Amino acid sequence: MTNSIRELEDAKVIFVIGSNTTEAHPVISYYIKRAVKKGAILIVNDPRRIDLVKWATMYVQHKPGTDIPYINGLINEIFKNGWEDKKYLAEHTENPDEIREWVKDYPVEKASEICGVPVETMKKVAEILGKAEVANVCYTLGITEHICGTDNVKTLANLQMVLGNIGSYAGGLNPLRGQNNVQGACDMGALPNVYQTYQAVDNPAVREKFEQAWGVTGLPDKPGYMKPTMLHKALTGGTKILYCVGDNPVQTDPHMANTIKEIEALEFFVCVDIFPNLTTPYADVILPDCAWGEVDGTFTNTERRVQMVRKALEPPGDARPHWWVLQELAKRINGYDLGFTSAEAVFEDMRKTSTSYAGITYERIQDIGLQWPCPTLEHPGTPLLHTSGNFTRGRGLFHHTVHIPPAELPDDEYPFYLSTGRRLWHYHSATQTRHSVGLEEIFPEELMEISPVDAERLGIKTGDTVQATSRRGEITLKAWVTDRSAPGVCWCAFHFVEACGNVLTIDRFDPVTETAEYKVCAIKIEKVKDGTEPVSWAARQARP
Amino acid sequence: MDKTMLEKIFSDAIEREIESFEFYQTVSQRVTNQDVKRTFEELAQEELGHKALLTRFREDPDLLTKINIPSQDYKVAEATELPKFDINMKPADAIALAMKKEEEAVKFYRGMAAISQDEEIKKQFEYLAGMELGHKTRLENVFVEIGYPEVF
């Protein structure tokens, strides 16, 4: 995030797109609700009528996979009415004349035809954004989980630069990053092309720095594969061994049947996890991991805040902290002793070779976390980025983005859009949450959300059993007839092995990030049998 | 306090600002990146501003006591390696180079204060160090915002 979470409650205009905030980021949603209570204008843009809509000043229901034409249409309207921030464009951006021309390809009338949002609604949204002193943009996987996810993000960046909202308190461009520590995992270099704090592996100076720091030679000089490529290459022998930590790819990757095929093609597969899951049966070796309450360490949240987590319980059985497991492996594979004695020792080693974390120590974050960049022990951390209007490259560069339709659209054979995501009561592949009796009681099985219009046409009511089929597989589950879904759009999650959305999803990826297009594929829905009991608990899904 | 000595302190300080102005002006003409060029041009103009300020201080040294001195030194410049000048250097390196120059200026005036026997002269050097610390802090804030990109 360019800004901090707490700033949200002081925002005057909040533009949420592709984020089911109340369910996926419930804490952050409280700040949005507080802002609304204080008079903020909230514009919720989502193909689904998510619960946050109940708090919205305006709800915009665009078709899945049409974010670029929708946003470009708004930018065009902003320019057309002279609502752009001329001073910001002149002083802090490189090519404002280009973006002005590019978005002329998306007059609101044309954009409206593509994205399905009425022209007048688009004009109203553009006016609110264009006349706002500052607007805050929040987005999540509804933006990134498309084959054009990178361009979706760039288009939002274009919007915020046109409006001069980058670097402003309670404004900015704010990806609400998933899970408690996905930001931290990236910061630590759990990526194929960078060491910790984004130091590129193919930069000779960086490589030399780490070789000196660690007393080794021959560190790789080119990036590794991203996860989808890793798995694809298993089929051709390019990937022979996979070491999988805290991940359940059979359930969470798209096109489950293909994922299984790829994993089965590996010569050696190691899983490290806290419980058996859908992936562990394919492992040659399973190593027991510690759960979050059983280890010391840090989490870095979406606002770049590094926070302490402390061990509260002894891990069960043979479970060990994962840093210890990796150290033992290094010893046994090539006799190299990393020499760590604690999680703090690992953090210190990382901190001293990092850039933006160099000033963060366990001692400094005992009570309240620090937000990076925090480059020295004296530095207080950085809650808000780009206040000077400067970017790493100098002036902000607008990118030309055009509508890229989803890889698979509904047709006669598979007439519905399927979009997938997360529910409030379960977490990811539910390896943890389905071990909770309480959560199982609250939300015990997956439901296919279907619009009342489609349900009536197909003779389906809530609680009926339906079969959802895509070109990749089929699942059987109960229906939930709800106006959360627009006509023609169905939705389900991937938390439940018994009816996992990823049996159906398509394995097509954004070419830059290799993020899968979880948000759009085509399915058909058929009723299997009438429901025999009410599914009254479905309403618990939503909590305003 | 010896007035001639005080004038010399300010004249030397002005000379340092002129040297910095000339440095930034020269490098701004050599770099290829337009943003870096602009950054160096702006830094050159800032040095002219500092020169004007010091000229006023030379005329009325009491004004120096009224400048804002940062209450904290985050020592970002000290933790950053001096980048080599390169015609292809990036904006963050340009700012790093400038903040390292300000760090040197702070050190210089603090050093002068430390060896000064005359309490009044010592105080003037400390004020000058404080002024340069303000410049360093401003550049450090810019650097922190652009020097640690989340690029992967």
Side-chain angles (χ1 to χ4, degrees), chain A residues 177 183 193 198 373 375-376 378 380 382 386-388 390-393 395, chain B residues 33 35 38 73-76 79 91 142 144-146 148-152:
Chain A
R177 303 204 64 181
Q183 180 71 51
N193 56 347
Y198 310 100
T376 65
E378 293 80 9
T382 310
H386 309 300
T387 54
S388 58
N390 294 311
F391 296 95
T392 298
R393 66 177 309 284
R395 293 187 175 208
Chain B
N33 180 305
D35 280 305
R38 263 192 299 268
D73 180 359
Y74 298 140
K75 298 192 167 82
V76 178
V142 175
V144 166
E145 292 196 339
I146 67 172
Y148 306 100
E150 189 176 345
V151 176
F152 56 91

Side-chain angles (χ1 to χ4, degrees), chain A residues 289-299 307-324 341-344 362 366:
Chain A
D289 204 356
C290 294
W292 61 267
E294 296 163 357
V295 284
D296 293 320
T298 63
F299 290 152
Q307 304 172 100
M308 285 284 297
V309 285
R310 295 170 179 85
K311 180 176 166 179
L313 295 168
E314 285 302 321
D318 291 332
R320 296 284 185 275
H322 196 245
W323 64 263
W324 183 91
T341 53
S342 66
E344 184 175 6
Y362 270 33
Q366 283 295 319

Side-chain angles (χ1 to χ4, degrees), chain B residues 24-25 28 36-46:
Chain B
Y24 289 131
Q25 206 179 35
S28 73
V36 176
K37 187 184 282 292
R38 263 192 299 268
T39 301
F40 281 136
E41 284 168 356
E42 284 166 13
L43 287 165
Q45 289 308 307
E46 279 186 21

Side-chain angles (χ1 to χ4, degrees), chain A residues 254-258 407-409 414 418 468-475 501-508 517 520-523:
Chain A
H255 190 174
M256 186 186 288
N258 197 50
E408 184 181 62
L409 285 166
Y414 298 95
L418 173 71
T469 310
S470 77
R471 290 182 174 84
R472 293 155 293 280
E474 61 192 41
I475 57 174
N502 283 323
V503 171
L504 310 173
T505 49
I506 188 166
D507 46 346
R508 292 289 298 274
E517 190 157 65
V520 187
C521 72
I523 61 165

Side-chain angles (χ1 to χ4, degrees), chain A residues 148-219:
Chain A
C148 55
T150 300
D151 281 357
N152 282 350
V153 174
K154 285 178 177 175
T155 312
L156 286 173
N158 287 349
L159 173 70
Q160 284 298 67
M161 287 199 295
V162 165
L163 294 169
N165 285 336
I166 305 284
S168 299
Y169 179 80
L173 186 60
N174 299 298
L176 311 179
R177 303 204 64 181
Q179 307 150 26
N180 55 349
N181 193 37
V182 72
Q183 180 71 51
C186 293
D187 295 348
M188 290 306 97
L191 292 161
N193 56 347
V194 290
Y195 293 102
Q196 60 257 33
T197 59
Y198 310 100
Q199 301 174 80
V201 301
D202 56 1
N203 179 334
V206 167
R207 199 163 60 251
E208 191 184 331
K209 168 184 165 177
F210 281 97
E211 286 180 344
Q212 275 183 8
W214 293 338
V216 296
T217 55
L219 289 176

Side-chain angles (χ1 to χ4, degrees), chain A residues 457-490:
Chain A
R457 187 166 51 79
L458 296 172
I460 294 169
K461 60 186 186 306
T462 295
D464 288 351
T465 300
V466 297
Q467 181 172 287
T469 310
S470 77
R471 290 182 174 84
R472 293 155 293 280
E474 61 192 41
I475 57 174
T476 302
L477 67 176
K478 285 179 184 160
W480 178 15
V481 179
T482 169
D483 64 4
R484 285 158 66 97
S485 281
V489 182
C490 296

Side-chain angles (χ1 to χ4, degrees), chain A residues 490-509:
Chain A
C490 296
W491 191 94
C492 71
F494 57 93
H495 303 307
F496 290 83
V497 292
E498 301 88 341
C500 175
N502 283 323
V503 171
L504 310 173
T505 49
I506 188 166
D507 46 346
R508 292 289 298 274
F509 305 88

Side-chain angles (χ1 to χ4, degrees), chain B residues 26-132:
Chain B
T26 305
V27 294
S28 73
Q29 288 160 6
R30 292 179 57 198
V31 292
T32 53
N33 180 305
Q34 289 303 307
D35 280 305
V36 176
K37 187 184 282 292
R38 263 192 299 268
T39 301
F40 281 136
E41 284 168 356
E42 284 166 13
L43 287 165
Q45 289 308 307
E46 279 186 21
E47 298 301 337
L48 281 185
H50 300 163
K51 181 192 154 210
L53 200 62
L54 285 163
T55 306
R56 286 176 59 204
F57 293 156
R58 184 168 59 184
E59 287 158 11
D60 181 3
D62 285 347
L63 286 175
L64 193 54
T65 62
K66 292 172 185 160
I67 60 167
N68 284 326
I69 296 173
S71 55
Q72 293 279 329
D73 180 359
Y74 298 140
K75 298 192 167 82
V76 178
E78 288 82 343
T80 307
E81 262 185 58
L82 177 68
K84 285 182 190 152
F85 176 76
D86 180 330
I87 57 166
N88 298 315
M89 72 195 310
K90 293 173 181 169
D93 289 334
I95 298 294
L97 193 140
M99 71 183 186
K100 293 296 282 186
K101 280 179 74 69
E102 300 296 352
E103 177 198 345
E104 284 304 313
V106 174
K107 277 187 194 161
F108 173 78
Y109 289 124
R110 281 181 178 160
M112 293 302 285
I115 60 168
S116 297
Q117 302 293 320
D118 184 307
E119 282 304 310
E120 278 302 304
I121 289 176
K122 183 188 281 289
K123 203 179 285 179
Q124 297 301 332
F125 277 128
E126 282 167 357
Y127 279 128
L128 284 169
M131 182 189 79
E132 298 294 355

